[in-house]
Amino acid sequence: MEDVKRNCHETVSSRNMPSVSDSVGIEDVEGNVNTVTEHAVDVEMGQDEAEGRAEGQPPVDNDEDGNAGLPIDRGWAWAILGGCFLNAMLMAGYNRSMALFFVEYLDMFGASSTTTTLIMGVKAMTKSMMSLVTMHVLLEFLGTRKTVMLGGFLTASAILSATFAPNIEVIICVHSVLAGIGHSMIHAPAIVLVGKYFKKRRGLATTTASTAISCASGLFPIFSQYLLDAYGLRGTLLIFAGLTMNMWVGASLFRPLEFYRKKSKMAEMSDIKRPQTKDQMELDDSRPDDGSVQPNRQCETDTFKPRDGPKRTSVCLKNVKKILKAFDFSLFKKPMFLLIVAFCHFAVLVRQVSTYLPARLNEMGYKQSEAAFLLLIAGILDFISRILYGFLADLKYLRVSQIMAIGLLVSGLSSQFIMYYTTYPLILTYCVAIGIFGSAYQCLIPVMVVDFMGVDYMAKTIGFTALFQGFAISLTHPIIGSIRDLSGSYVACFHYLGSTAFFAAGLLLCEPIVRRYDSRRKRHPRTENDESTIPLK
């Protein structure tokens, strides 16, 4: 192996080319100067991209040449989007139906409201904690397809456990935990894969995938009520378990992008080098070294041959170190990441408006059917607005952060006037405003993560944001319950939710300031290090 490396260096230096032996593997070197030049250009492009990020500019995908032959914005990318849409609709449909199942659980087991709400609270907490493990560890070891399939299996198992649960404690301890773990493996990994398959139409793709939540909000409550009337709670849960198994169909479409990269690389190698027979390969190995680099197969065999035999302890330690390394806590040193985490912690609470709107209508004396109609109208407008936000984000007239800030400001402002919505038409107007502007945050958060952090950090950033969002949701339910008990009305609860939307919008509008601070912070240490490494003359 040492002789092979020495010959590689001599070949490169004899042609007056810079040494890139650190970047080019020995198995890839065939004495071709063009190959060395291509690797040198790639290294320079990587350095230019790193310098561009150090300047504090938004990360830009400059991989037009690297995406040649890949189904980016075309072909199988739309199949990936279809699978993500299917799985998101099934997951969101069950979550939206939990409001109806909540009432059935109260009647079936006779538990208190505080105890029954633990079903949703434990599920939200488990999902937030496992999202960190899913996005940082499972995606590294299993990949997107296997991770989503495992999530679908756990979700179906959770619903089956609730179907045959004898008491409320089993539902809280078994169903909520399994459902939280399963849901953390379904939507977020698929969104990351969609972000890799789409570039120019990334905004439209992510918003289209999120429209599945709007479809589920409008369709599944009505469908669930029909099933409850026809088959009861346990029969409805059994049907939902069967529907959840269709997530395996959507997950089977999640073909990794590396499949096309390997296929393209094999096609290029077949064009450059014709396939050789076994006799020709032996003849090539027997030829003497004439200045070109010929791999020594015996040397490579001896190099990679274990001397003392593999040790199980060292392998286990290696895996443990790899798992710990997958948790990239260095992200907390990045100001843009801290801005995303703080913003998402407050912005996610806007989604709870639709959760407590039926309770407000019940407090005003309206029927549940009238509340269901309002949710249907809000779901239809939410579906349409998500697609429009995707087109608007791709047009680049406004930054994604500005679009999200406007939506949060309008949602928060409309929530502050909840006390004046005393008639059904006024409540309907409020639902229209929430349906149009409340979805800006939910559908554009993946696009914002890519804009702030880049595609490389998308999976790990979404994992951390899901963790903090789960904490926020878990704390919000008891806070709103306490406000309702102290004030005697849900009006103050909507004021609280509107205030969090204002605070989240204010954080998002600070994005230019944080970006400039990040630029200065990166620029000065780099300059000092460069000056300290200059040798004295």
Side-chain angles (χ1 to χ4, degrees):
M1 182 63 69
E2 297 295 332
D3 296 336
V4 175
K5 292 182 178 179
R6 191 179 302 107
N7 291 334
C8 177
H9 283 290
E10 292 175 359
T11 304
V12 175
S13 59
S14 63
R15 301 191 181 222
N16 296 325
M17 293 298 296
S19 176
V20 290
S21 59
D22 294 336
S23 303
V24 183
I26 298 301
E27 68 276 9
D28 293 332
V29 178
E30 298 186 13
N32 193 336
V33 180
N34 292 331
T35 305
V36 178
T37 306
E38 292 175 359
H39 282 280
V41 171
D42 293 339
V43 172
E44 293 178 358
M45 291 177 63
Q47 293 176 352
D48 293 339
E49 183 179 356
E51 292 177 359
R53 292 188 180 183
E55 294 294 333
Q57 299 174 356
V60 181
D61 296 333
N62 294 325
D63 53 352
E64 293 288 348
D65 297 336
N67 292 336
L70 301 181
I72 304 297
D73 294 314
R74 59 184 176 85
W76 196 257
W78 299 106
I80 299 292
L81 181 59
C84 182
F85 184 93
L86 173 63
N87 290 349
M89 185 172 64
L90 292 174
M91 184 186 72
Y94 181 72
N95 290 334
R96 293 297 184 268
S97 301
M98 281 297 296
L100 300 176
F101 299 158
F102 176 80
V103 180
E104 297 293 331
Y105 286 140
L106 289 174
D107 296 337
M108 176 178 291
F109 299 110
S112 63
S113 300
T114 304
T115 303
T116 310
T117 52
L118 290 177
I119 298 175
M120 296 177 286
V122 172
K123 185 170 77 71
M125 181 63 68
T126 307
K127 179 183 177 182
S128 64
M129 297 177 64
M130 283 304 301
S131 294
L132 186 65
V133 179
T134 298
M135 304 306 292
H136 286 251
V137 178
L138 292 182
L139 283 182
E140 297 287 339
F141 286 88
L142 299 181
T144 304
R145 179 185 293 171
K146 294 180 181 179
T147 300
V148 177
M149 283 187 172
L150 179 60
F153 171 76
L154 292 177
T155 304
S157 302
I159 301 176
L160 284 176
S161 66
T163 304
F164 303 101
N167 50 55
I168 193 69
E169 287 78 12
V170 173
I171 296 179
I172 295 173
C173 298
V174 180
H175 165 268
S176 298
V177 173
L178 289 179
I181 297 174
H183 286 178
S184 68
M185 302 179 184
I186 295 173
H187 188 56
I191 284 294
V192 174
L193 189 62
V194 169
K196 293 180 180 179
Y197 266 89
F198 288 89
K199 181 181 177 182
K200 294 181 180 178
R201 301 176 181 175
R202 184 176 292 151
L204 177 62
T206 53
T207 53
T208 301
S210 65
T211 54
I213 301 175
S214 304
C215 293
S217 301
L219 298 178
F220 271 84
I222 301 175
F223 176 67
S224 300
Q225 187 61 53
Y226 169 77
L227 293 179
L228 289 172
D229 295 338
Y231 304 103
L233 177 60
R234 298 189 184 274
T236 302
L237 291 175
L238 190 61
I239 294 175
F240 264 90
L243 291 175
T244 304
M245 293 180 184
N246 287 281
M247 290 182 179
W248 297 336
V249 178
S252 64
L253 300 175
F254 293 159
R255 181 179 295 168
L257 200 58
E258 286 73 15
F259 169 81
Y260 294 98
R261 289 197 176 99
K262 293 179 181 178
K263 187 176 180 181
S264 178
K265 187 176 181 181
M266 292 175 62
E268 293 176 359
M269 294 298 295
S270 63
D271 294 338
I272 297 174
K273 194 174 183 179
R274 293 181 301 174
Q276 296 180 343
T277 62
K278 183 177 181 181
D279 296 335
Q280 290 175 339
M281 293 176 65
E282 293 178 354
L283 181 61
D284 292 340
D285 293 339
S286 63
R287 290 179 181 175
D289 189 5
D290 56 354
S292 61
V293 179
Q294 298 289 340
N296 191 336
R297 301 182 185 274
Q298 182 66 29
C299 181
E300 292 180 359
T301 305
D302 296 338
T303 302
F304 294 99
K305 184 177 180 180
R307 297 180 180 178
D308 300 330
K311 296 182 180 180
R312 294 183 179 272
T313 55
S314 61
V315 173
C316 293
L317 289 176
K318 243 183 229 183
N319 291 332
V320 171
K321 290 180 180 179
K322 190 174 181 181
I323 292 175
L324 294 177
K325 190 177 180 181
F327 291 96
D328 193 1
F329 291 101
S330 62
L331 291 174
F332 286 90
K333 298 179 181 179
K334 300 179 181 295
M336 297 301 295
F337 172 78
L338 295 177
L339 177 63
I340 293 175
V341 169
F343 160 74
C344 292
H345 180 79
F346 293 97
V348 71
L349 302 182
V350 180
R351 298 166 52 184
Q352 307 306 315
V353 170
S354 59
T355 303
Y356 292 97
L357 188 60
R360 171 59 180 168
L361 287 172
N362 186 30
E363 187 179 64
M364 296 173 63
Y366 291 101
K367 299 179 181 179
Q368 290 297 322
S369 59
E370 295 174 326
F373 177 75
L374 291 180
L375 294 179
L376 176 62
I377 295 299
I380 294 174
L381 294 175
D382 185 271
F383 174 82
I384 298 174
S385 62
R386 286 173 187 260
I387 299 178
L388 294 179
Y389 284 135
F391 279 110
L392 185 60
D394 290 337
L395 291 177
K396 308 295 183 183
Y397 290 137
L398 293 173
R399 292 201 303 267
V400 175
S401 58
Q402 294 175 342
I403 299 174
M404 298 171 70
I406 293 173
L408 289 171
L409 287 174
V410 176
S411 300
L413 183 63
S414 59
S415 298
Q416 297 300 325
F417 294 96
I418 186 69
M419 65 179 65
Y420 300 106
Y421 306 146
T422 56
T423 61
Y424 193 80
L426 292 177
I427 292 288
L428 178 61
T429 305
Y430 175 61
C431 289
V432 169
I434 293 297
I436 295 176
F437 296 97
S439 60
Y441 157 76
Q442 302 175 33
C443 65
L444 293 178
I445 182 65
V447 185
M448 187 196 71
V449 170
V450 175
D451 185 31
F452 282 15
M453 302 295 296
V455 181
D456 297 337
Y457 292 105
M458 182 180 181
K460 296 182 178 181
T461 303
I462 290 179
F464 278 114
T465 55
L467 175 65
F468 287 95
Q469 286 176 352
F471 285 148
I473 294 175
S474 300
L475 294 175
T476 297
H477 289 295
I479 290 176
I480 290 181
S482 301
I483 294 175
R484 168 66 176 82
D485 294 337
L486 293 175
S487 62
S489 175
Y490 282 99
V491 173
C493 301
F494 284 89
H495 289 321
Y496 171 76
L497 296 176
S499 300
T500 58
F502 280 138
F503 192 76
L507 289 174
L508 199 57
L509 292 177
C510 295
E511 179 245 339
I513 301 175
V514 177
R515 196 181 291 276
R516 285 196 297 268
Y517 167 76
D518 190 24
S519 175
R520 290 195 300 268
R521 189 182 66 90
K522 290 179 179 179
R523 190 184 303 116
H524 292 303
R526 186 184 62 180
T527 304
E528 293 174 1
N529 293 334
D530 292 342
E531 292 177 355
S532 62
T533 55
I534 297 176
L536 297 176
K537 295 183 180 179

